[in-house]
Amino acid sequence: MKTLEKATIGGGCFWCVEAVLQRLNGVQQVVSGYAGGKHANPSYREVCSGRSGHAEVVQVTFDPEVLSYRDLLTVFMTTHDPTTLNRQGADQGTQYRSTIMYHNETQRDVAESLLQELGAHFPEPIVTEVVPLKVFFEAEDYHQDYYNNNGTQGYCQVVIDPKVQKLKAQYADKLKPEVA
């Protein structure tokens, strides 16, 4: 039986991160949600207010024999801007921070090492936080699989499509066969 792992990361709107990561070979599931804040079971409205302390994140279940945690993080770090504090594009606020919420010390070590390595490849310092995951709260149903269910919506076409296209161009060797 396969041993699957989980990763919890956020890089702006969870719809964008979900759309990119669910196309990677080895990824079994991507669930949009909230983590890193003060309140249990926050609503989207509470998170969007910026007062909950939660970030929009995704929790990824993946097969490390197909896709390593390091490779997952590399794709994540290079398909969003990890140098903008509490912002991705037009989305601003602490809920849109770049974050890696590790599940164990090995994940922490891999994340810190990778950020150190990638730092030289960005024109500005990386501001991605590396913090322990305390609790993950699943987002409302309408946020799940958002891009796949709403691909013709303006936000999807203008903001998410370019990220998916960048993924296909840079990481064709890591895509699921039906995506490549």
Side-chain angles (χ1 to χ4, degrees):
M1 178 158 200
K2 289 183 184 180
T3 302
L4 301 177
E5 291 185 24
K6 289 188 186 248
T8 304
I9 51 184
C13 176
F14 47 32
W15 299 339
C16 295
V17 180
E18 175 193 67
V20 167
L21 298 182
Q22 66 188 180
R23 285 162 171 70
L24 294 174
N25 196 23
V27 169
Q28 305 293 313
Q29 181 181 36
V30 181
V31 178
S32 291
Y34 317 110
K38 306 174 278 231
H39 308 294
N41 299 309
S43 68
Y44 183 62
R45 181 177 297 224
E46 290 169 324
V47 173
C48 285
S49 76
R51 293 186 301 269
S52 74
H54 287 287
E56 287 190 17
V57 298
V58 296
Q59 191 159 81
V60 183
T61 304
F62 65 101
D63 182 346
E65 291 182 23
V66 177
L67 179 70
S68 72
Y69 180 67
R70 182 181 183 79
D71 285 348
L72 176 73
L73 290 185
T74 300
V75 171
F76 164 68
M77 291 297 294
T78 57
T79 54
H80 83 289
D81 184 351
T83 68
T84 54
L85 186 62
N86 301 328
R87 190 181 100 231
Q88 286 296 304
D91 294 330
Q92 293 188 21
T94 57
Q95 67 271 29
Y96 300 115
R97 65 188 177 268
S98 179
T99 183
I100 298 170
M101 297 181 174
Y102 58 87
H103 291 239
N104 56 51
E105 294 304 308
T106 300
Q107 285 189 352
R108 185 199 68 190
D109 293 345
V110 169
E112 289 177 350
S113 172
L114 180 65
L115 266 58
Q116 181 92 19
E117 261 180 57
L118 291 176
H121 300 285
F122 287 94
E124 300 293 327
I126 291 175
V127 296
T128 303
E129 65 179 10
V130 178
V131 297
L133 174 68
K134 293 180 181 161
V135 181
F136 172 80
F137 300 100
E138 188 171 325
E140 297 82 351
D141 286 345
Y142 67 93
H143 291 297
Q144 308 305 326
D145 207 25
Y146 192 85
Y147 176 72
N148 292 334
N149 291 329
N150 299 281
T152 59
Q153 191 236 27
Y155 185 87
C156 292
Q157 293 182 343
V158 172
V159 177
I160 303 175
D161 273 347
K163 292 177 184 280
V164 171
Q165 295 312 314
K166 181 178 182 180
L167 170 77
K168 289 179 178 181
Q170 288 186 321
Y171 297 104
D173 62 319
K174 296 195 180 328
L175 298 177
K176 292 178 178 174
E178 64 273 14
V179 176

